[in-house]
Short mmCIF file of all heavy atoms in Angstrom, two decimals:
data_model
loop_
_atom_site.label_atom_id
_atom_site.label_comp_id
_atom_site.label_asym_id
_atom_site.label_seq_id
_atom_site.Cartn_x
_atom_site.Cartn_y
_atom_site.Cartn_z
N LEU A 229 -11.99 1.47 102.46
CA LEU A 229 -11.88 0.38 101.52
C LEU A 229 -11.60 0.94 100.12
O LEU A 229 -12.12 1.99 99.74
CB LEU A 229 -13.19 -0.43 101.49
CG LEU A 229 -13.52 -1.18 102.79
CD1 LEU A 229 -14.88 -1.83 102.67
CD2 LEU A 229 -12.46 -2.23 103.09
N PRO A 230 -10.78 0.26 99.34
CA PRO A 230 -10.44 0.76 98.00
C PRO A 230 -11.70 0.95 97.15
O PRO A 230 -12.63 0.16 97.21
CB PRO A 230 -9.55 -0.35 97.45
CG PRO A 230 -9.02 -1.04 98.66
CD PRO A 230 -10.10 -0.96 99.67
N ASN A 231 -11.68 2.00 96.36
CA ASN A 231 -12.83 2.29 95.52
C ASN A 231 -12.54 2.07 94.04
O ASN A 231 -13.35 2.37 93.20
CB ASN A 231 -13.28 3.74 95.73
CG ASN A 231 -14.80 3.85 95.83
OD1 ASN A 231 -15.49 2.98 95.31
ND2 ASN A 231 -15.27 4.90 96.46
N THR A 232 -11.30 1.62 93.79
CA THR A 232 -10.96 1.28 92.40
C THR A 232 -10.18 -0.01 92.39
O THR A 232 -9.44 -0.32 93.30
CB THR A 232 -10.09 2.38 91.74
OG1 THR A 232 -8.82 2.44 92.41
CG2 THR A 232 -10.77 3.74 91.82
N ALA A 233 -10.34 -0.74 91.33
CA ALA A 233 -9.64 -2.02 91.23
C ALA A 233 -8.14 -1.82 91.13
O ALA A 233 -7.36 -2.69 91.50
CB ALA A 233 -10.14 -2.79 90.01
N ALA A 234 -7.68 -0.63 90.66
CA ALA A 234 -6.26 -0.40 90.46
C ALA A 234 -5.49 -0.38 91.76
O ALA A 234 -4.28 -0.60 91.78
CB ALA A 234 -6.06 0.92 89.73
N THR A 235 -6.15 -0.06 92.87
CA THR A 235 -5.43 0.04 94.15
C THR A 235 -5.08 -1.32 94.72
O THR A 235 -4.27 -1.42 95.64
CB THR A 235 -6.29 0.78 95.19
OG1 THR A 235 -7.50 0.04 95.38
CG2 THR A 235 -6.62 2.17 94.71
N LEU A 236 -5.65 -2.37 94.22
CA LEU A 236 -5.45 -3.70 94.83
C LEU A 236 -3.98 -4.09 94.82
O LEU A 236 -3.46 -4.58 95.81
CB LEU A 236 -6.27 -4.74 94.06
CG LEU A 236 -6.15 -6.20 94.55
CD1 LEU A 236 -6.53 -6.31 96.01
CD2 LEU A 236 -7.01 -7.11 93.70
N ALA A 237 -3.28 -3.87 93.72
CA ALA A 237 -1.89 -4.31 93.63
C ALA A 237 -0.99 -3.54 94.59
O ALA A 237 0.06 -4.07 95.01
CB ALA A 237 -1.41 -4.13 92.19
N SER A 238 -1.36 -2.35 94.95
CA SER A 238 -0.49 -1.53 95.80
C SER A 238 -0.72 -1.76 97.29
O SER A 238 -0.01 -1.18 98.11
CB SER A 238 -0.70 -0.04 95.49
OG SER A 238 -2.05 0.31 95.82
N LEU A 239 -1.69 -2.57 97.62
CA LEU A 239 -2.04 -2.73 99.04
C LEU A 239 -1.20 -3.79 99.74
O LEU A 239 -1.19 -3.87 100.96
CB LEU A 239 -3.52 -3.10 99.18
CG LEU A 239 -4.50 -2.00 98.78
CD1 LEU A 239 -5.92 -2.53 98.89
CD2 LEU A 239 -4.31 -0.78 99.67
N GLY A 240 -0.48 -4.62 99.02
CA GLY A 240 0.24 -5.72 99.67
C GLY A 240 -0.73 -6.83 100.00
O GLY A 240 -1.87 -6.84 99.58
N PRO A 241 -0.29 -7.82 100.79
CA PRO A 241 -1.16 -8.93 101.18
C PRO A 241 -2.42 -8.42 101.86
O PRO A 241 -2.37 -7.67 102.85
CB PRO A 241 -0.29 -9.74 102.14
CG PRO A 241 1.12 -9.40 101.77
CD PRO A 241 1.07 -7.97 101.34
N VAL A 242 -3.57 -8.79 101.33
CA VAL A 242 -4.84 -8.29 101.84
C VAL A 242 -5.05 -8.67 103.30
O VAL A 242 -5.51 -7.86 104.11
CB VAL A 242 -6.00 -8.85 100.99
CG1 VAL A 242 -7.34 -8.45 101.55
CG2 VAL A 242 -5.86 -8.36 99.56
N ARG A 243 -4.66 -9.88 103.64
CA ARG A 243 -4.87 -10.34 105.03
C ARG A 243 -4.15 -9.45 106.03
O ARG A 243 -4.70 -8.99 107.01
CB ARG A 243 -4.40 -11.78 105.15
CG ARG A 243 -4.54 -12.36 106.56
CD ARG A 243 -4.27 -13.86 106.51
NE ARG A 243 -4.23 -14.45 107.82
CZ ARG A 243 -4.15 -15.75 108.04
NH1 ARG A 243 -4.11 -16.57 107.02
NH2 ARG A 243 -4.12 -16.23 109.25
N GLU A 244 -2.85 -9.16 105.73
CA GLU A 244 -2.08 -8.30 106.64
C GLU A 244 -2.64 -6.89 106.66
O GLU A 244 -2.71 -6.26 107.71
CB GLU A 244 -0.62 -8.29 106.19
CG GLU A 244 0.18 -9.53 106.57
CD GLU A 244 -0.16 -10.73 105.72
OE1 GLU A 244 -0.93 -10.58 104.75
OE2 GLU A 244 0.35 -11.82 106.02
N TYR A 245 -3.05 -6.40 105.52
CA TYR A 245 -3.60 -5.05 105.46
C TYR A 245 -4.81 -4.91 106.36
O TYR A 245 -4.91 -4.00 107.18
CB TYR A 245 -3.99 -4.72 104.00
CG TYR A 245 -4.93 -3.54 103.88
CD1 TYR A 245 -4.45 -2.23 104.00
CD2 TYR A 245 -6.30 -3.73 103.66
CE1 TYR A 245 -5.32 -1.15 103.89
CE2 TYR A 245 -7.17 -2.66 103.55
CZ TYR A 245 -6.66 -1.37 103.66
OH TYR A 245 -7.52 -0.31 103.57
N ILE A 246 -5.77 -5.86 106.20
CA ILE A 246 -6.99 -5.75 106.97
C ILE A 246 -6.72 -5.93 108.46
O ILE A 246 -7.25 -5.19 109.31
CB ILE A 246 -8.01 -6.79 106.46
CG1 ILE A 246 -8.43 -6.45 105.03
CG2 ILE A 246 -9.24 -6.84 107.38
CD1 ILE A 246 -9.33 -7.46 104.39
N GLN A 247 -5.87 -6.91 108.81
CA GLN A 247 -5.59 -7.12 110.21
C GLN A 247 -4.92 -5.90 110.85
O GLN A 247 -5.28 -5.45 111.92
CB GLN A 247 -4.70 -8.35 110.36
CG GLN A 247 -5.43 -9.68 110.07
CD GLN A 247 -4.48 -10.86 110.04
OE1 GLN A 247 -3.27 -10.69 109.93
NE2 GLN A 247 -5.05 -12.05 110.07
N GLU A 248 -3.92 -5.39 110.16
CA GLU A 248 -3.19 -4.26 110.73
C GLU A 248 -4.07 -3.02 110.81
O GLU A 248 -4.02 -2.28 111.78
CB GLU A 248 -1.92 -4.01 109.90
CG GLU A 248 -0.91 -5.13 110.04
CD GLU A 248 0.34 -4.86 109.22
OE1 GLU A 248 0.61 -3.70 108.88
OE2 GLU A 248 1.05 -5.85 108.92
N ARG A 249 -4.87 -2.77 109.77
CA ARG A 249 -5.76 -1.60 109.82
C ARG A 249 -6.78 -1.76 110.96
O ARG A 249 -7.09 -0.80 111.65
CB ARG A 249 -6.50 -1.44 108.48
CG ARG A 249 -5.61 -1.00 107.33
CD ARG A 249 -5.02 0.38 107.61
NE ARG A 249 -6.07 1.38 107.78
CZ ARG A 249 -6.61 2.09 106.77
NH1 ARG A 249 -6.17 1.90 105.55
NH2 ARG A 249 -7.54 2.99 107.00
N PHE A 250 -7.26 -2.96 111.13
CA PHE A 250 -8.24 -3.19 112.20
C PHE A 250 -7.60 -3.01 113.57
O PHE A 250 -8.10 -2.31 114.44
CB PHE A 250 -8.83 -4.59 112.08
CG PHE A 250 -9.63 -5.00 113.28
CD1 PHE A 250 -10.90 -4.49 113.51
CD2 PHE A 250 -9.12 -5.87 114.22
CE1 PHE A 250 -11.62 -4.83 114.62
CE2 PHE A 250 -9.84 -6.23 115.34
CZ PHE A 250 -11.12 -5.71 115.54
N LEU A 251 -6.43 -3.65 113.77
CA LEU A 251 -5.79 -3.59 115.08
C LEU A 251 -5.27 -2.18 115.40
O LEU A 251 -5.25 -1.76 116.56
CB LEU A 251 -4.62 -4.58 115.12
CG LEU A 251 -5.03 -6.07 115.05
CD1 LEU A 251 -3.79 -6.95 114.97
CD2 LEU A 251 -5.88 -6.46 116.24
N ALA A 252 -4.88 -1.47 114.36
CA ALA A 252 -4.31 -0.13 114.59
C ALA A 252 -5.32 0.85 115.17
O ALA A 252 -4.96 1.80 115.85
CB ALA A 252 -3.73 0.40 113.29
N GLN A 253 -6.61 0.65 114.87
CA GLN A 253 -7.60 1.61 115.31
C GLN A 253 -8.17 1.31 116.72
O GLN A 253 -9.00 2.04 117.22
CB GLN A 253 -8.76 1.64 114.32
CG GLN A 253 -9.64 0.41 114.35
CD GLN A 253 -10.83 0.55 113.42
OE1 GLN A 253 -10.92 1.51 112.64
NE2 GLN A 253 -11.74 -0.40 113.48
N LEU A 254 -7.72 0.23 117.32
CA LEU A 254 -8.23 -0.15 118.63
C LEU A 254 -7.71 0.79 119.71
O LEU A 254 -6.58 1.30 119.67
CB LEU A 254 -7.84 -1.59 118.96
CG LEU A 254 -8.44 -2.67 118.07
CD1 LEU A 254 -7.91 -4.04 118.49
CD2 LEU A 254 -9.97 -2.65 118.12
N GLN A 255 -8.53 0.93 120.78
CA GLN A 255 -8.12 1.71 121.94
C GLN A 255 -7.17 0.87 122.80
O GLN A 255 -7.08 -0.36 122.67
CB GLN A 255 -9.36 2.10 122.77
CG GLN A 255 -10.36 2.94 122.00
CD GLN A 255 -9.76 4.28 121.59
OE1 GLN A 255 -9.08 4.94 122.38
NE2 GLN A 255 -10.02 4.69 120.35
N THR A 256 -6.49 1.54 123.74
CA THR A 256 -5.50 0.84 124.60
C THR A 256 -6.13 -0.30 125.37
O THR A 256 -5.58 -1.39 125.46
CB THR A 256 -4.87 1.85 125.56
OG1 THR A 256 -4.23 2.88 124.83
CG2 THR A 256 -3.84 1.14 126.46
N ALA A 257 -7.31 -0.06 125.93
CA ALA A 257 -7.98 -1.12 126.72
C ALA A 257 -8.30 -2.32 125.85
O ALA A 257 -8.18 -3.47 126.30
CB ALA A 257 -9.25 -0.56 127.35
N GLU A 258 -8.70 -2.07 124.61
CA GLU A 258 -9.01 -3.18 123.70
C GLU A 258 -7.75 -3.94 123.32
O GLU A 258 -7.74 -5.18 123.27
CB GLU A 258 -9.70 -2.64 122.44
CG GLU A 258 -11.07 -2.03 122.74
CD GLU A 258 -11.62 -1.28 121.54
OE1 GLU A 258 -10.81 -0.68 120.80
OE2 GLU A 258 -12.84 -1.27 121.35
N ARG A 259 -6.67 -3.21 123.12
CA ARG A 259 -5.40 -3.85 122.78
C ARG A 259 -4.89 -4.68 123.96
O ARG A 259 -4.36 -5.79 123.80
CB ARG A 259 -4.37 -2.80 122.37
CG ARG A 259 -4.73 -2.09 121.06
CD ARG A 259 -3.92 -0.79 120.89
NE ARG A 259 -2.52 -1.07 120.62
CZ ARG A 259 -2.03 -1.26 119.41
NH1 ARG A 259 -2.83 -1.25 118.36
NH2 ARG A 259 -0.74 -1.47 119.24
N ASP A 260 -5.05 -4.13 125.17
CA ASP A 260 -4.63 -4.87 126.39
C ASP A 260 -5.39 -6.20 126.52
O ASP A 260 -4.80 -7.24 126.81
CB ASP A 260 -4.87 -4.02 127.64
CG ASP A 260 -3.90 -2.86 127.76
OD1 ASP A 260 -2.84 -2.90 127.10
OD2 ASP A 260 -4.20 -1.92 128.53
N LEU A 261 -6.68 -6.15 126.27
CA LEU A 261 -7.49 -7.34 126.40
C LEU A 261 -7.11 -8.37 125.35
O LEU A 261 -6.99 -9.58 125.64
CB LEU A 261 -8.99 -6.98 126.29
CG LEU A 261 -9.99 -8.14 126.38
CD1 LEU A 261 -9.79 -8.95 127.66
CD2 LEU A 261 -11.41 -7.62 126.30
N LEU A 262 -6.92 -7.90 124.10
CA LEU A 262 -6.55 -8.82 123.04
C LEU A 262 -5.19 -9.46 123.31
O LEU A 262 -4.99 -10.66 123.09
CB LEU A 262 -6.56 -8.12 121.69
CG LEU A 262 -7.92 -7.65 121.16
CD1 LEU A 262 -7.77 -7.08 119.77
CD2 LEU A 262 -8.93 -8.80 121.15
N TRP A 263 -4.24 -8.67 123.76
CA TRP A 263 -2.89 -9.20 124.05
C TRP A 263 -2.95 -10.23 125.17
O TRP A 263 -2.32 -11.28 125.11
CB TRP A 263 -1.96 -8.06 124.43
CG TRP A 263 -0.59 -8.53 124.89
CD1 TRP A 263 -0.09 -8.47 126.14
CD2 TRP A 263 0.41 -9.13 124.08
NE1 TRP A 263 1.19 -9.00 126.18
CE2 TRP A 263 1.51 -9.40 124.91
CE3 TRP A 263 0.51 -9.46 122.72
CZ2 TRP A 263 2.69 -10.00 124.46
CZ3 TRP A 263 1.69 -10.05 122.27
CH2 TRP A 263 2.75 -10.31 123.11
N THR A 264 -3.74 -9.93 126.21
CA THR A 264 -3.86 -10.86 127.32
C THR A 264 -4.43 -12.19 126.86
O THR A 264 -3.92 -13.26 127.20
CB THR A 264 -4.76 -10.25 128.42
OG1 THR A 264 -4.19 -9.02 128.86
CG2 THR A 264 -4.91 -11.20 129.59
N LEU A 265 -5.50 -12.14 126.08
CA LEU A 265 -6.12 -13.38 125.59
C LEU A 265 -5.20 -14.10 124.62
O LEU A 265 -5.16 -15.33 124.59
CB LEU A 265 -7.45 -13.07 124.92
CG LEU A 265 -8.67 -13.06 125.84
CD1 LEU A 265 -9.89 -12.60 125.07
CD2 LEU A 265 -8.92 -14.45 126.42
N ALA A 266 -4.45 -13.36 123.80
CA ALA A 266 -3.52 -13.98 122.87
C ALA A 266 -2.44 -14.75 123.62
O ALA A 266 -2.01 -15.80 123.16
CB ALA A 266 -2.89 -12.93 121.97
N CYS A 267 -2.05 -14.26 124.77
CA CYS A 267 -1.00 -14.91 125.56
C CYS A 267 -1.50 -16.11 126.33
O CYS A 267 -0.89 -17.19 126.30
CB CYS A 267 -0.37 -13.91 126.53
SG CYS A 267 0.61 -12.61 125.72
N VAL A 268 -2.61 -15.95 127.04
CA VAL A 268 -3.04 -17.00 127.97
C VAL A 268 -4.02 -17.98 127.38
O VAL A 268 -4.33 -19.02 127.96
CB VAL A 268 -3.63 -16.39 129.25
CG1 VAL A 268 -2.65 -15.44 129.91
CG2 VAL A 268 -4.96 -15.68 128.99
N GLY A 269 -4.56 -17.68 126.19
CA GLY A 269 -5.55 -18.58 125.59
C GLY A 269 -6.91 -18.39 126.24
O GLY A 269 -7.23 -17.32 126.76
N THR A 270 -7.72 -19.42 126.22
CA THR A 270 -9.08 -19.34 126.80
C THR A 270 -8.98 -19.00 128.28
O THR A 270 -8.20 -19.59 129.03
CB THR A 270 -9.81 -20.67 126.62
OG1 THR A 270 -9.84 -21.00 125.23
CG2 THR A 270 -11.22 -20.58 127.14
N ALA A 271 -9.80 -18.02 128.71
CA ALA A 271 -9.73 -17.58 130.11
C ALA A 271 -11.10 -17.10 130.58
O ALA A 271 -11.86 -16.50 129.82
CB ALA A 271 -8.72 -16.45 130.27
N PRO A 272 -11.42 -17.37 131.87
CA PRO A 272 -12.71 -16.86 132.40
C PRO A 272 -12.61 -15.36 132.62
O PRO A 272 -11.53 -14.78 132.75
CB PRO A 272 -12.84 -17.61 133.72
CG PRO A 272 -11.45 -18.01 134.10
CD PRO A 272 -10.71 -18.22 132.82
N ALA A 273 -13.77 -14.73 132.70
CA ALA A 273 -13.81 -13.28 132.86
C ALA A 273 -13.12 -12.83 134.13
O ALA A 273 -12.46 -11.78 134.16
CB ALA A 273 -15.28 -12.79 132.85
#
Side-chain angles (χ1 to χ4, degrees):
L229 294 175
N231 223 336
T232 66
T235 60
L236 179 58
S238 63
L239 292 177
V242 175
R243 178 170 174 172
E244 282 74 6
Y245 163 77
I246 294 175
Q247 289 171 345
E248 291 180 22
R249 290 297 301 270
F250 168 75
L251 294 175
Q253 71 176 8
L254 295 177
Q255 300 296 317
T256 300
E258 294 170 326
R259 293 164 70 88
D260 288 341
L261 179 55
L262 293 184
W263 174 250
T264 301
L265 271 174
C267 290
V268 304
T270 304

